[in-house]
């Protein structure tokens, strides 16, 4: 079984085709958001909290406060649901390693907003189903259907989907 990364959980909620492309090493995101986010974090005054922690080569946490609160930095709230589940996944992974994570916080520095995220027992079950679905998708021989959403125009795989 392939390790599931936080980005894969994020893409699952955005577009399953994007998840498939990403996992098949068609990674075209070098431009962009991830690099931009790093810059954003550096420019923020988060003090001495640990930054960008890579765990198990699976999840890359933006930063962790007192080993209890995980922060994930996002640019906008447009794809909120995906960001929430990515963070719930981080909470679950760290708890499964014995770290007593209380909650996550989605930070939107550009909007000067933040939102607290929790992982309930029923959501944990939902998350397990999502992880199973992700394994199924990445094992498919062909990518899932194009989703035809407005944000496809900004997707790095747009040319592959709409040729
Ligand atoms: S262009 Fe649209 S359909 Fe294609 S991978 Fe991106 S989000 Fe998915």
């Amino acid at each position: 079984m392939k390790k599931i990364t936080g980005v894969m959980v994020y893409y699952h909620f955005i577009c399953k085709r994007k998840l498939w492309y990403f996992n098949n090493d068609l990674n075209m995101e070098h431009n962009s958001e991830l690099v931009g986010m790093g810059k954003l974090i550096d420019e923020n005054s988060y003090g001495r909290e640990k930054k960008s922690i890579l765990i198990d080569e699976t999840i890359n946490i933006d930063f962790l406060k007192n080993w209890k609160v995980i922060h994930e930095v996002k640019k906008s709230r447009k794809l909120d649901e995906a960001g929430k589940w990515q963070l719930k996944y981080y909470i679950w992974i760290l708890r499964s390693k014995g770290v007593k994570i209380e909650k996550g916080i989605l930070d939107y520095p550009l909007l000067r907003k933040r939102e607290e995220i929790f992982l309930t027992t029923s959501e944990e079950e939902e998350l397990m189903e999502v992880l199973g679905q992700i394994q199924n998708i990445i094992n498919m021989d062909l990518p899932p259907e194009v989703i035809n959403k407005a944000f496809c125009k900004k997707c790095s795989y747009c040319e592959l989907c709409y040729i």
Side-chain angles (χ1 to χ4, degrees), residues 13-157:
F13 285 93
I14 294 173
C15 170
K16 292 168 180 49
R17 185 176 174 96
K18 184 166 175 139
L19 166 66
W20 188 93
Y21 277 144
F22 178 76
N23 193 66
N24 281 276
D25 292 329
L26 284 162
N27 189 355
M28 301 167 89
E29 294 274 48
H30 30 257
N31 35 17
S32 67
E33 196 170 347
L34 300 176
V35 178
M37 280 292 104
K39 192 160 177 283
L40 212 59
I41 295 164
D42 285 345
E43 285 167 1
N44 259 277
S45 52
Y46 284 127
R48 289 190 198 160
E49 286 103 0
K50 295 174 173 50
K51 291 178 187 170
S52 280
I53 304 167
L54 184 66
I55 293 171
D56 262 4
E57 296 180 351
T58 306
I59 61 171
N60 195 356
I61 291 170
D62 285 344
F63 65 93
L64 196 56
K65 189 171 183 180
N66 300 328
W67 294 97
K68 285 186 179 161
V69 182
I70 308 171
H71 287 253
E72 174 70 15
V73 180
K74 295 288 182 209
K75 206 158 43 177
S76 82
R77 302 194 66 159
K78 275 188 202 144
L79 304 169
D80 238 9
E81 196 60 15
K84 282 180 191 169
W85 279 102
Q86 183 182 10
L87 199 41
K88 286 176 195 286
Y89 180 52
Y90 292 168
I91 295 173
W92 177 77
I93 289 221
L94 282 170
R95 281 186 184 162
S96 69
K97 292 183 177 301
V99 184
K100 292 184 173 41
I101 297 294
E102 286 170 9
K103 63 183 174 187
I105 292 184
L106 276 177
D107 279 305
Y108 303 96
L110 295 181
L111 306 172
R112 296 184 186 279
K113 288 208 159 99
R114 50 176 46 185
E115 185 179 349
E116 292 191 333
I117 304 295
F118 297 90
L119 176 67
T120 63
T121 313
S122 65
E123 284 171 338
E124 215 172 294
E125 284 168 20
E126 215 176 311
L127 181 61
M128 293 308 102
E129 281 173 30
V130 165
L131 298 182
Q133 288 164 14
I134 291 175
Q135 288 290 356
N136 290 341
I137 291 167
I138 62 183
N139 286 331
M140 286 164 63
D141 292 333
L142 292 171
E145 294 296 303
V146 171
I147 58 172
N148 285 317
K149 296 271 186 186
F151 58 76
C152 286
K153 283 189 201 127
K154 290 189 179 170
C155 175
S156 48
Y157 299 110

